[in-house]
Amino acid sequence: MSAVPAADPIGPRRLRRRILLLAVMPLLAAVAVIALAVRSQAQDLARQERALVETAYLASKEAELRHHVEMAMNMIRPLYDSGRDDEATRQEAIRILNAFDYDNGDGYFFAYDYSGRCLVLPHQPELVGQNLWEVRDRDGQPVVQALIAKAREGEGYFRYVWNKPSAREVAPKLGYVVGLQRWGWMVGTGIYLDDVQATLDALERQGRANIDKTTGWIAIIALMALALVGGSTLAMNLGDHRAADAQLQQLARQVVQSQESERAHLSRELHDGTGQTLVSIKLLLDSSMEQLRGEHGRVPVALERARGRIEEALAEVRDISHRLRPVVLDTLGLPSALRHLGEEFAEHAQMAFFMRIGGRERDLPEAVNTVLFRITQEALTNIEKHAEASRVDLRLIYLGGEVRLTVADDGHGFDAERIQSDPRRGIGLLNMHERVEAIGGVLRVQSRPGSTRVVAQIGADAIRRLASPAPVLHPPSSRSDAHPDRR
């Protein structure tokens, strides 16, 4: 049977993304549902408010119409109640109705007989005497027929669309009529409702604006919540990044420390082991050569050459031991070690060397001493190989709680950016940058023809952090390593 492949473990980043999605998706869904609910409820409230306002407006208009009709009827009622049905009496009633006018001329009275013949229509006198039974409004409603039907019932209201005199265009209108049954007349008046419609339209626009404003606030709150979640996630990622960066720097420092410890161990082994062995061989050769010289008067050439090779090997072992870990750095401190290194370099490379120490000298953490010594060692090696310089200036400045090392030469310079970006040629500069950054410092390289400066600066915070004992980072143990008794 084939083994079932194990599922890939969920890494911290994938886990954070899932947590973010679990936080954001319900939030967006809840905001969307709330927005829809609020919008629907606001629309319902707006419709209810419109209906209430419209009802109130129409009630006031109806009361106003009834008042006007009552006034007109009070004027013609004595004629109607007199019992006379002659033409003169009816013409007097028509004259009285024609004389009534209100609302800047838009309010007037009209009268029709039950057959549909127009009796009173002040603003359209040319229609008086004509039968308007079939007249319909813009919406197709039989206006005269409907009004006469209300009058036959005694009284009633009817909404339609009619010409408005002041605007010279059609507008919605509410009419109220009463019936004079003995004469067979329909008498009434009407009020135009365009102001009501304008008020309702303004109310509807305001309602939509309020709904849009509420929706906008909900969207702003949602964006703020998303920004808060995103900011929290970003802060968490930045915190993890800083923690990871700190762990990387700590690991780099431990790697450097382990390298330096190994270098010191190899240096001691070479000095105390191989070096002492070579010294013993050299002493034995010297003793043998003295004995041969006493017995035979001369020493074989091969033996002389062997002694010379021993001298060369001993000098090379001492040089390697010193380069691996200079004893003066551990015994006399950084300034003396740098001065000793510079003087040896000047003697070997035949260059002028000058060193200046600024500020008040103080003890630095071992990691800082080691990095600054290695930076100087690498810089001097590069100067000897590539700069063709005649002078080297070394400055070690103690300024407040920080320290700054500067190695300058008067060589022909180089293109620092191009060299650092070339992995084949910039390995030395890359190593210097990594060493300084591993302890929290900054390395700057400035170069032009006639002047090259390598500046390593270690801040006070980094020095204080390195001076305190750092926790040792261990790789995670497996289950069997953590519990060796388990099988």
Side-chain angles (χ1 to χ4, degrees):
M1 296 177 62
S2 59
V4 178
D8 294 336
I10 299 177
R13 292 185 179 179
R14 290 181 59 192
L15 182 60
R16 283 197 296 270
R17 283 197 296 268
R18 291 190 179 184
I19 293 175
L20 178 61
L21 288 176
L22 289 175
V24 169
M25 296 307 293
L27 174 63
L28 291 177
V31 169
V33 171
I34 292 173
L36 291 175
V38 170
R39 191 175 185 88
S40 176
Q41 187 175 11
Q43 289 174 345
D44 290 341
L45 290 175
R47 284 192 292 268
Q48 293 176 10
E49 184 179 8
R50 177 188 173 92
L52 290 174
V53 171
E54 185 176 11
T55 301
Y57 263 97
L58 290 178
S60 67
K61 296 292 184 182
E62 289 175 357
E64 184 179 355
L65 285 174
R66 184 180 291 273
H67 172 71
H68 288 309
V69 170
E70 287 178 354
M71 288 179 60
M73 293 303 296
N74 288 334
M75 295 296 294
I76 66 174
R77 190 170 297 279
L79 297 173
Y80 182 76
D81 291 343
S82 66
R84 292 179 298 173
D85 296 331
D86 57 281
E87 186 64 22
T89 303
R90 295 189 181 193
Q91 287 298 324
E92 179 63 18
I94 290 173
R95 185 190 64 78
I96 293 173
L97 291 175
N98 273 315
F100 267 89
D101 193 351
Y102 62 92
D103 197 13
N104 296 324
D106 286 335
Y108 57 90
F109 281 86
F110 52 83
Y112 293 80
D113 63 19
Y114 284 174
S115 66
R117 184 170 61 91
C118 181
L119 302 174
V120 176
L121 197 60
H123 290 283
Q124 292 177 296
E126 69 276 6
L127 298 180
V128 175
Q130 297 185 24
N131 191 305
L132 304 180
W133 181 264
E134 296 296 335
V135 170
R136 297 176 181 269
D137 67 357
R138 182 187 61 188
D139 298 331
Q141 297 185 101
V143 177
V144 176
Q145 295 179 33
L147 292 174
I148 291 174
K150 295 291 183 181
R152 286 181 180 276
E153 295 174 0
E155 63 178 3
Y157 297 94
F158 181 68
R159 291 181 65 174
Y160 56 99
V161 178
W162 202 254
N163 292 323
K164 186 175 183 180
S166 62
R168 295 184 179 180
E169 61 182 12
V170 296
K173 188 174 184 179
L174 176 64
Y176 175 67
V177 296
V178 296
L180 300 178
Q181 307 301 338
R182 195 177 75 248
W183 287 358
W185 281 13
M186 174 266 291
V187 178
T189 187
I191 293 180
Y192 290 94
L193 303 177
D194 51 348
D195 58 336
V196 177
Q197 188 63 40
T199 301
L200 294 176
D201 292 342
L203 189 64
E204 185 175 358
R205 287 194 298 270
Q206 183 180 2
R208 285 198 300 266
N210 291 335
I211 292 173
D212 294 339
K213 185 177 180 180
T214 303
T215 305
W217 275 111
I218 293 175
I220 291 174
I221 293 173
L223 290 176
M224 292 175 62
L226 288 177
L228 182 61
V229 173
S232 301
T233 304
L234 179 61
M236 183 171 61
N237 289 335
L238 289 177
D240 292 344
H241 176 73
R242 293 192 185 99
D245 187 61
Q247 287 186 348
L248 287 176
Q249 289 189 357
Q250 179 64 24
L251 285 172
R253 287 197 297 270
Q254 290 186 3
V255 169
V256 171
Q257 290 174 0
S258 64
Q259 289 177 345
E260 293 299 328
S261 298
E262 188 63 24
R263 284 171 178 265
H265 174 70
L266 291 176
S267 176
R268 288 192 299 270
E269 289 295 325
L270 286 174
H271 183 272
D272 298 338
T274 306
Q276 294 302 322
T277 301
L278 292 175
V279 169
S280 300
I281 295 174
K282 177 178 173 294
L283 292 176
L284 288 174
L285 286 175
D286 288 342
S287 176
S288 299
M289 290 170 64
E290 288 296 330
Q291 185 176 355
L292 290 174
R293 189 176 289 108
E295 294 179 356
H296 303 285
R298 63 184 183 86
V299 177
V301 176
L303 203 56
E304 290 280 358
R305 291 179 179 175
R307 187 183 181 283
R309 294 293 177 85
I310 291 296
E311 287 279 1
E312 294 174 0
L314 184 58
E316 187 173 350
V317 166
R318 288 173 178 171
D319 183 63
I320 293 174
S321 175
H322 177 72
R323 285 182 175 274
L324 283 173
R325 183 70 182 183
V327 179
V328 67
L329 181 61
D330 296 325
T331 57
L332 300 181
L334 179 64
S336 298
L338 294 180
R339 189 180 300 278
H340 180 70
L341 179 63
E343 290 172 352
E344 280 191 348
F345 165 79
E347 181 180 356
H348 175 71
Q350 296 182 352
M351 295 184 194
F353 174 78
F354 300 92
M355 179 175 176
R356 183 170 67 87
I357 299 176
R360 183 178 178 182
E361 294 186 29
R362 62 189 185 90
D363 293 334
L364 298 174
E366 181 182 354
V368 176
N369 289 335
T370 301
V371 168
L372 294 181
F373 182 84
R374 295 303 181 192
I375 293 298
T376 305
Q377 197 174 46
E378 182 68 29
L380 293 178
T381 301
N382 289 338
I383 291 171
E384 182 181 3
K385 289 182 178 180
H386 310 294
E388 298 181 2
S390 61
R391 173 190 175 106
V392 176
D393 289 275
L394 190 147
R395 299 288 182 268
L396 183 63
I397 307 300
Y398 297 89
L399 183 61
E402 64 181 32
V403 61
R404 183 171 66 247
L405 171 72
T406 303
V407 181
D409 68 83
D410 60 352
H412 53 63
F414 60 95
D415 188 343
E417 294 184 1
R418 185 175 63 84
I419 292 297
Q420 292 182 68
S421 62
D422 189 344
R424 295 170 299 177
R425 303 180 62 185
I427 188 66
L429 291 177
L430 179 62
N431 288 338
M432 286 194 286
H433 276 285
E434 290 179 349
R435 281 181 177 271
V436 175
E437 290 171 359
I439 61 173
V442 178
L443 182 76
R444 299 189 301 276
V445 179
Q446 304 164 349
S447 184
R448 57 183 174 83
S451 176
T452 298
R453 291 165 53 88
V454 177
V455 182
Q457 186 165 348
I458 315 299
D461 293 338
I463 292 176
R464 283 194 298 269
R465 185 174 64 254
L466 293 170
S468 60
V472 180
L473 301 178
H474 299 286
S477 301
S478 64
R479 185 179 299 272
S480 60
D481 293 337
H483 304 280
D485 293 337
R486 297 182 182 179
R487 296 290 184 266

mmCIF file of all heavy atoms in Angstrom, residues 89-116:
data_model
loop_
_atom_site.group_PDB
_atom_site.id
_atom_site.type_symbol
_atom_site.label_atom_id
_atom_site.label_comp_id
_atom_site.label_asym_id
_atom_site.label_seq_id
_atom_site.Cartn_x
_atom_site.Cartn_y
_atom_site.Cartn_z
ATOM 1 N N THR A 89 -83.114 84.208 -12.925
ATOM 2 C CA THR A 89 -82.528 83.764 -11.654
ATOM 3 C C THR A 89 -81.254 82.961 -11.901
ATOM 4 O O THR A 89 -80.233 83.121 -11.212
ATOM 5 C CB THR A 89 -83.555 82.928 -10.866
ATOM 6 O OG1 THR A 89 -84.737 83.704 -10.656
ATOM 7 C CG2 THR A 89 -82.988 82.470 -9.552
ATOM 8 N N ARG A 90 -81.306 82.096 -12.878
ATOM 9 C CA ARG A 90 -80.129 81.271 -13.173
ATOM 10 C C ARG A 90 -78.979 82.139 -13.703
ATOM 11 O O ARG A 90 -77.802 81.916 -13.362
ATOM 12 C CB ARG A 90 -80.489 80.199 -14.177
ATOM 13 C CG ARG A 90 -81.501 79.212 -13.631
ATOM 14 C CD ARG A 90 -81.690 78.031 -14.558
ATOM 15 N NE ARG A 90 -82.694 77.094 -14.034
ATOM 16 C CZ ARG A 90 -82.874 75.868 -14.495
ATOM 17 N NH1 ARG A 90 -82.135 75.418 -15.482
ATOM 18 N NH2 ARG A 90 -83.801 75.078 -13.968
ATOM 19 N N GLN A 91 -79.282 83.159 -14.518
ATOM 20 C CA GLN A 91 -78.234 84.025 -15.025
ATOM 21 C C GLN A 91 -77.600 84.836 -13.897
ATOM 22 O O GLN A 91 -76.407 85.098 -13.906
ATOM 23 C CB GLN A 91 -78.811 84.973 -16.079
ATOM 24 C CG GLN A 91 -79.142 84.301 -17.400
ATOM 25 C CD GLN A 91 -77.893 83.716 -18.066
ATOM 26 O OE1 GLN A 91 -76.792 84.287 -17.999
ATOM 27 N NE2 GLN A 91 -78.060 82.536 -18.693
ATOM 28 N N GLU A 92 -78.396 85.227 -12.898
ATOM 29 C CA GLU A 92 -77.828 85.920 -11.744
ATOM 30 C C GLU A 92 -76.878 85.002 -10.977
ATOM 31 O O GLU A 92 -75.812 85.430 -10.512
ATOM 32 C CB GLU A 92 -78.958 86.397 -10.829
ATOM 33 C CG GLU A 92 -78.497 87.125 -9.580
ATOM 34 C CD GLU A 92 -77.758 88.423 -9.889
ATOM 35 O OE1 GLU A 92 -77.875 88.949 -11.034
ATOM 36 O OE2 GLU A 92 -77.018 88.919 -9.008
ATOM 37 N N ALA A 93 -77.273 83.752 -10.827
ATOM 38 C CA ALA A 93 -76.371 82.794 -10.165
ATOM 39 C C ALA A 93 -75.080 82.619 -10.964
ATOM 40 O O ALA A 93 -73.973 82.546 -10.399
ATOM 41 C CB ALA A 93 -77.077 81.455 -9.982
ATOM 42 N N ILE A 94 -75.183 82.573 -12.298
ATOM 43 C CA ILE A 94 -73.988 82.434 -13.144
ATOM 44 C C ILE A 94 -73.100 83.662 -12.991
ATOM 45 O O ILE A 94 -71.866 83.564 -12.926
ATOM 46 C CB ILE A 94 -74.415 82.214 -14.604
ATOM 47 C CG1 ILE A 94 -75.038 80.826 -14.770
ATOM 48 C CG2 ILE A 94 -73.223 82.372 -15.545
ATOM 49 C CD1 ILE A 94 -75.633 80.579 -16.146
ATOM 50 N N ARG A 95 -73.719 84.865 -12.913
ATOM 51 C CA ARG A 95 -72.931 86.074 -12.750
ATOM 52 C C ARG A 95 -72.154 86.064 -11.434
ATOM 53 O O ARG A 95 -70.987 86.443 -11.374
ATOM 54 C CB ARG A 95 -73.849 87.279 -12.809
ATOM 55 C CG ARG A 95 -73.104 88.635 -12.781
ATOM 56 C CD ARG A 95 -74.094 89.761 -12.606
ATOM 57 N NE ARG A 95 -74.770 89.679 -11.309
ATOM 58 C CZ ARG A 95 -74.204 90.066 -10.150
ATOM 59 N NH1 ARG A 95 -72.954 90.527 -10.102
ATOM 60 N NH2 ARG A 95 -74.902 89.966 -9.032
ATOM 61 N N ILE A 96 -72.823 85.622 -10.376
ATOM 62 C CA ILE A 96 -72.175 85.581 -9.057
ATOM 63 C C ILE A 96 -70.978 84.604 -9.080
ATOM 64 O O ILE A 96 -69.897 84.901 -8.561
ATOM 65 C CB ILE A 96 -73.193 85.197 -7.977
ATOM 66 C CG1 ILE A 96 -74.231 86.305 -7.814
ATOM 67 C CG2 ILE A 96 -72.487 84.921 -6.662
ATOM 68 C CD1 ILE A 96 -75.376 85.937 -6.884
ATOM 69 N N LEU A 97 -71.185 83.439 -9.695
ATOM 70 C CA LEU A 97 -70.090 82.445 -9.744
ATOM 71 C C LEU A 97 -68.922 82.957 -10.585
ATOM 72 O O LEU A 97 -67.751 82.712 -10.259
ATOM 73 C CB LEU A 97 -70.615 81.125 -10.317
ATOM 74 C CG LEU A 97 -71.604 80.355 -9.430
ATOM 75 C CD1 LEU A 97 -72.133 79.134 -10.175
ATOM 76 C CD2 LEU A 97 -70.945 79.938 -8.124
ATOM 77 N N ASN A 98 -69.187 83.672 -11.663
ATOM 78 C CA ASN A 98 -68.118 84.232 -12.492
ATOM 79 C C ASN A 98 -67.315 85.291 -11.745
ATOM 80 O O ASN A 98 -66.143 85.523 -12.031
ATOM 81 C CB ASN A 98 -68.702 84.835 -13.775
ATOM 82 C CG ASN A 98 -68.845 83.786 -14.868
ATOM 83 O OD1 ASN A 98 -67.944 82.985 -15.102
ATOM 84 N ND2 ASN A 98 -69.989 83.779 -15.552
ATOM 85 N N ALA A 99 -68.003 85.956 -10.780
ATOM 86 C CA ALA A 99 -67.323 87.030 -10.046
ATOM 87 C C ALA A 99 -66.379 86.505 -8.969
ATOM 88 O O ALA A 99 -65.504 87.240 -8.498
ATOM 89 C CB ALA A 99 -68.377 87.955 -9.429
ATOM 90 N N PHE A 100 -66.525 85.266 -8.557
ATOM 91 C CA PHE A 100 -65.656 84.712 -7.509
ATOM 92 C C PHE A 100 -64.260 84.417 -8.084
ATOM 93 O O PHE A 100 -64.133 83.793 -9.133
ATOM 94 C CB PHE A 100 -66.250 83.423 -6.920
ATOM 95 C CG PHE A 100 -67.090 83.666 -5.710
ATOM 96 C CD1 PHE A 100 -68.446 83.932 -5.834
ATOM 97 C CD2 PHE A 100 -66.508 83.636 -4.444
ATOM 98 C CE1 PHE A 100 -69.217 84.163 -4.725
ATOM 99 C CE2 PHE A 100 -67.284 83.864 -3.328
ATOM 100 C CZ PHE A 100 -68.644 84.128 -3.463
ATOM 101 N N ASP A 101 -63.234 84.866 -7.379
ATOM 102 C CA ASP A 101 -61.853 84.648 -7.841
ATOM 103 C C ASP A 101 -60.933 84.641 -6.617
ATOM 104 O O ASP A 101 -61.085 85.482 -5.723
ATOM 105 C CB ASP A 101 -61.445 85.766 -8.808
ATOM 106 C CG ASP A 101 -60.148 85.425 -9.551
ATOM 107 O OD1 ASP A 101 -59.504 84.416 -9.187
ATOM 108 O OD2 ASP A 101 -59.804 86.171 -10.489
ATOM 109 N N TYR A 102 -59.994 83.739 -6.543
ATOM 110 C CA TYR A 102 -59.045 83.657 -5.421
ATOM 111 C C TYR A 102 -57.745 83.019 -5.910
ATOM 112 O O TYR A 102 -57.649 82.548 -7.050
ATOM 113 C CB TYR A 102 -59.648 82.855 -4.257
ATOM 114 C CG TYR A 102 -59.971 81.408 -4.572
ATOM 115 C CD1 TYR A 102 -59.050 80.389 -4.330
ATOM 116 C CD2 TYR A 102 -61.211 81.066 -5.115
ATOM 117 C CE1 TYR A 102 -59.344 79.070 -4.640
ATOM 118 C CE2 TYR A 102 -61.517 79.756 -5.416
ATOM 119 C CZ TYR A 102 -60.573 78.764 -5.174
ATOM 120 O OH TYR A 102 -60.873 77.468 -5.470
ATOM 121 N N ASP A 103 -56.743 83.043 -5.053
ATOM 122 C CA ASP A 103 -55.434 82.424 -5.347
ATOM 123 C C ASP A 103 -54.830 83.009 -6.631
ATOM 124 O O ASP A 103 -54.356 82.281 -7.509
ATOM 125 C CB ASP A 103 -55.578 80.897 -5.461
ATOM 126 C CG ASP A 103 -54.221 80.180 -5.354
ATOM 127 O OD1 ASP A 103 -53.236 80.844 -4.951
ATOM 128 O OD2 ASP A 103 -54.163 78.982 -5.692
ATOM 129 N N ASN A 104 -54.856 84.363 -6.708
ATOM 130 C CA ASN A 104 -54.245 85.082 -7.834
ATOM 131 C C ASN A 104 -54.804 84.622 -9.177
ATOM 132 O O ASN A 104 -54.077 84.536 -10.181
ATOM 133 C CB ASN A 104 -52.720 84.901 -7.831
ATOM 134 C CG ASN A 104 -52.084 85.510 -6.595
ATOM 135 O OD1 ASN A 104 -52.544 86.558 -6.118
ATOM 136 N ND2 ASN A 104 -51.059 84.851 -6.077
ATOM 137 N N GLY A 105 -56.061 84.306 -9.213
ATOM 138 C CA GLY A 105 -56.706 83.951 -10.465
ATOM 139 C C GLY A 105 -56.697 82.472 -10.780
ATOM 140 O O GLY A 105 -57.424 82.026 -11.683
ATOM 141 N N ASP A 106 -55.846 81.682 -10.064
ATOM 142 C CA ASP A 106 -55.831 80.235 -10.316
ATOM 143 C C ASP A 106 -57.012 79.541 -9.639
ATOM 144 O O ASP A 106 -57.306 78.382 -9.940
ATOM 145 C CB ASP A 106 -54.516 79.618 -9.812
ATOM 146 C CG ASP A 106 -53.336 79.966 -10.716
ATOM 147 O OD1 ASP A 106 -53.580 80.245 -11.899
ATOM 148 O OD2 ASP A 106 -52.181 79.961 -10.223
ATOM 149 N N GLY A 107 -57.655 80.237 -8.707
ATOM 150 C CA GLY A 107 -58.847 79.690 -8.072
ATOM 151 C C GLY A 107 -60.101 80.328 -8.657
ATOM 152 O O GLY A 107 -60.264 81.550 -8.586
ATOM 153 N N TYR A 108 -60.977 79.544 -9.213
ATOM 154 C CA TYR A 108 -62.189 80.049 -9.847
ATOM 155 C C TYR A 108 -63.269 78.964 -9.717
ATOM 156 O O TYR A 108 -62.985 77.813 -9.378
ATOM 157 C CB TYR A 108 -61.949 80.390 -11.314
ATOM 158 C CG TYR A 108 -61.419 79.229 -12.138
ATOM 159 C CD1 TYR A 108 -62.301 78.341 -12.786
ATOM 160 C CD2 TYR A 108 -60.044 79.001 -12.251
ATOM 161 C CE1 TYR A 108 -61.817 77.274 -13.509
ATOM 162 C CE2 TYR A 108 -59.562 77.931 -12.978
ATOM 163 C CZ TYR A 108 -60.433 77.064 -13.601
ATOM 164 O OH TYR A 108 -59.968 76.001 -14.317
ATOM 165 N N PHE A 109 -64.523 79.367 -10.028
ATOM 166 C CA PHE A 109 -65.643 78.434 -9.953
ATOM 167 C C PHE A 109 -66.087 78.061 -11.363
ATOM 168 O O PHE A 109 -65.936 78.831 -12.306
ATOM 169 C CB PHE A 109 -66.808 79.054 -9.182
ATOM 170 C CG PHE A 109 -66.619 79.019 -7.695
ATOM 171 C CD1 PHE A 109 -65.925 80.037 -7.057
ATOM 172 C CD2 PHE A 109 -67.125 77.974 -6.945
ATOM 173 C CE1 PHE A 109 -65.732 79.999 -5.691
ATOM 174 C CE2 PHE A 109 -66.938 77.943 -5.580
ATOM 175 C CZ PHE A 109 -66.235 78.953 -4.948
ATOM 176 N N PHE A 110 -66.579 76.841 -11.465
ATOM 177 C CA PHE A 110 -67.132 76.360 -12.736
ATOM 178 C C PHE A 110 -68.487 75.713 -12.451
ATOM 179 O O PHE A 110 -68.767 75.296 -11.317
ATOM 180 C CB PHE A 110 -66.190 75.357 -13.412
ATOM 181 C CG PHE A 110 -65.755 74.224 -12.520
ATOM 182 C CD1 PHE A 110 -66.571 73.102 -12.354
ATOM 183 C CD2 PHE A 110 -64.535 74.274 -11.837
ATOM 184 C CE1 PHE A 110 -66.178 72.070 -11.543
ATOM 185 C CE2 PHE A 110 -64.140 73.230 -11.025
ATOM 186 C CZ PHE A 110 -64.960 72.123 -10.860
ATOM 187 N N ALA A 111 -69.300 75.650 -13.526
ATOM 188 C CA ALA A 111 -70.630 75.042 -13.395
ATOM 189 C C ALA A 111 -71.017 74.393 -14.718
ATOM 190 O O ALA A 111 -70.705 74.909 -15.793
ATOM 191 C CB ALA A 111 -71.663 76.093 -12.981
ATOM 192 N N TYR A 112 -71.641 73.244 -14.620
ATOM 193 C CA TYR A 112 -72.134 72.491 -15.788
ATOM 194 C C TYR A 112 -73.530 71.991 -15.455
ATOM 195 O O TYR A 112 -73.858 71.737 -14.277
ATOM 196 C CB TYR A 112 -71.240 71.281 -16.085
ATOM 197 C CG TYR A 112 -69.839 71.611 -16.548
ATOM 198 C CD1 TYR A 112 -68.839 71.967 -15.639
ATOM 199 C CD2 TYR A 112 -69.512 71.557 -17.897
ATOM 200 C CE1 TYR A 112 -67.561 72.256 -16.064
ATOM 201 C CE2 TYR A 112 -68.222 71.846 -18.332
ATOM 202 C CZ TYR A 112 -67.250 72.194 -17.406
ATOM 203 O OH TYR A 112 -65.983 72.483 -17.845
ATOM 204 N N ASP A 113 -74.322 71.838 -16.493
ATOM 205 C CA ASP A 113 -75.577 71.122 -16.249
ATOM 206 C C ASP A 113 -75.296 69.631 -16.380
ATOM 207 O O ASP A 113 -74.226 69.220 -16.812
ATOM 208 C CB ASP A 113 -76.683 71.605 -17.184
ATOM 209 C CG ASP A 113 -76.386 71.332 -18.661
ATOM 210 O OD1 ASP A 113 -75.517 70.457 -18.950
ATOM 211 O OD2 ASP A 113 -76.982 71.977 -19.524
ATOM 212 N N TYR A 114 -76.247 68.844 -15.983
ATOM 213 C CA TYR A 114 -75.985 67.402 -15.904
ATOM 214 C C TYR A 114 -75.801 66.750 -17.278
ATOM 215 O O TYR A 114 -75.392 65.602 -17.381
ATOM 216 C CB TYR A 114 -77.114 66.723 -15.150
ATOM 217 C CG TYR A 114 -77.055 66.925 -13.645
ATOM 218 C CD1 TYR A 114 -78.086 66.484 -12.820
ATOM 219 C CD2 TYR A 114 -75.942 67.538 -13.056
ATOM 220 C CE1 TYR A 114 -78.028 66.650 -11.437
ATOM 221 C CE2 TYR A 114 -75.889 67.721 -11.681
ATOM 222 C CZ TYR A 114 -76.910 67.283 -10.885
ATOM 223 O OH TYR A 114 -76.841 67.465 -9.536
ATOM 224 N N SER A 115 -76.098 67.494 -18.329
ATOM 225 C CA SER A 115 -75.875 66.938 -19.674
ATOM 226 C C SER A 115 -74.452 67.176 -20.158
ATOM 227 O O SER A 115 -74.047 66.636 -21.191
ATOM 228 C CB SER A 115 -76.855 67.570 -20.666
ATOM 229 O OG SER A 115 -76.575 68.968 -20.824
ATOM 230 N N GLY A 116 -73.704 68.000 -19.418
ATOM 231 C CA GLY A 116 -72.333 68.281 -19.787
ATOM 232 C C GLY A 116 -72.117 69.607 -20.441
ATOM 233 O O GLY A 116 -70.985 69.943 -20.831
#
